[in-house]
Amino acid sequence: MSEKKRAIVVGSSGGIGPEIARRLDRQGYELTLVDRDLLAIQTLAEQLSRATAVAADLCDREALAELCAKIEGDADGYDVAVMNAGVIFPKLVQDTDPGELDLELEVNLRSAIHLLRAFTRHMLPRKRGHIITTVSMGGIIALKGSACYAATKFGLRGFVVSLHNELRANGINVSGIYPSGVDTPMLQYEARNDGSALNFASALQSVADIGDAFERALATGKVEIYPSWMDSLSGRLVGSFPWLIPRVLPLMERIGERGRQRYLAQLEQRSQP
């Protein structure tokens, strides 16, 4: 009889989360799905072989602490732990509401750090496991209109890489996945609310593309996984030389704006009966 495998996916209600959950399900994992949208993850759980839905609002610090305590104390053990939750308000800094800033900080960075700590403390006694976090190309290149989002993702990238170096000698892998524009409800929101045109400057990625990247992370244990090889090259090049951004930005924004309009037209077509 094969050994039971278990995984937890935090941020599993829409877009990338369900794709990751379905792939883990196909690989035989028993799943714990965590999200504040309980109905959505209950519906997803019913479609999977062995899955449990757990409601948690990552902005509620007491609820987050309870979730972290449950993860740390789980007696059966998780083999894979995924942090996938994220939020963005695409606005210039002066136009951003303080509450929106706080929400991005709470969901994208603070809760992620606390959960990664809980995953670490859960796996260390067992000397095995894999922690995988959806970061973003926003953690590589900082663009106007997403300053707070970029700050959270730059911080999360630093935390993930540091944690990878701390845990690599203990039999625990830590990986970050770096998508660019992915066809999800979040990107649809950005397209309709003046998000960065750079999201649309190259071919959009699908949730299946991110699922493939997730499986590469799971198979290799590499610290950074980029769904697009070109994003990996160009993103890290520009990210290493921030002074390049103002020089290439006008051209890339024009290209991206044309991409945004094509995407909005596609969304309009999808909404038609």
Side-chain angles (χ1 to χ4, degrees), residues 197-273:
L198 272 294
N199 286 318
F200 311 94
S202 58
L204 295 183
Q205 296 164 5
S206 67
V207 292
D209 294 327
I210 312 309
D212 291 343
F214 171 81
E215 291 193 343
R216 289 204 305 275
L218 201 58
T220 66
K222 289 183 177 179
V223 64
E224 293 192 345
I225 299 289
Y226 294 81
S228 164
W229 179 85
M230 184 57 70
D231 282 351
S232 170
L233 181 63
S234 61
R236 284 184 282 187
L237 175 63
V238 175
S240 298
F241 302 98
W243 54 266
L244 283 174
I245 295 177
R247 300 190 180 193
V248 302
L249 191 59
L251 173 62
M252 296 305 296
E253 283 186 329
R254 288 196 295 272
I255 295 172
E257 189 55 41
R258 290 197 291 268
R260 185 211 305 271
Q261 295 307 318
R262 288 194 298 270
Y263 183 57
L264 288 171
Q266 292 172 12
L267 295 179
E268 181 65 25
Q269 290 179 344
R270 292 182 201 174
S271 66
Q272 294 175 1

Side-chain angles (χ1 to χ4, degrees), residues 36 56-62 64 102-103 106-107 111:
R36 69 175 183 173
D57 184 350
L58 302 186
C59 293
D60 183 331
R61 293 192 174 187
E62 183 176 336
L64 175 63
D102 287 339
L103 185 57
E106 288 286 332
V107 175
S111 69

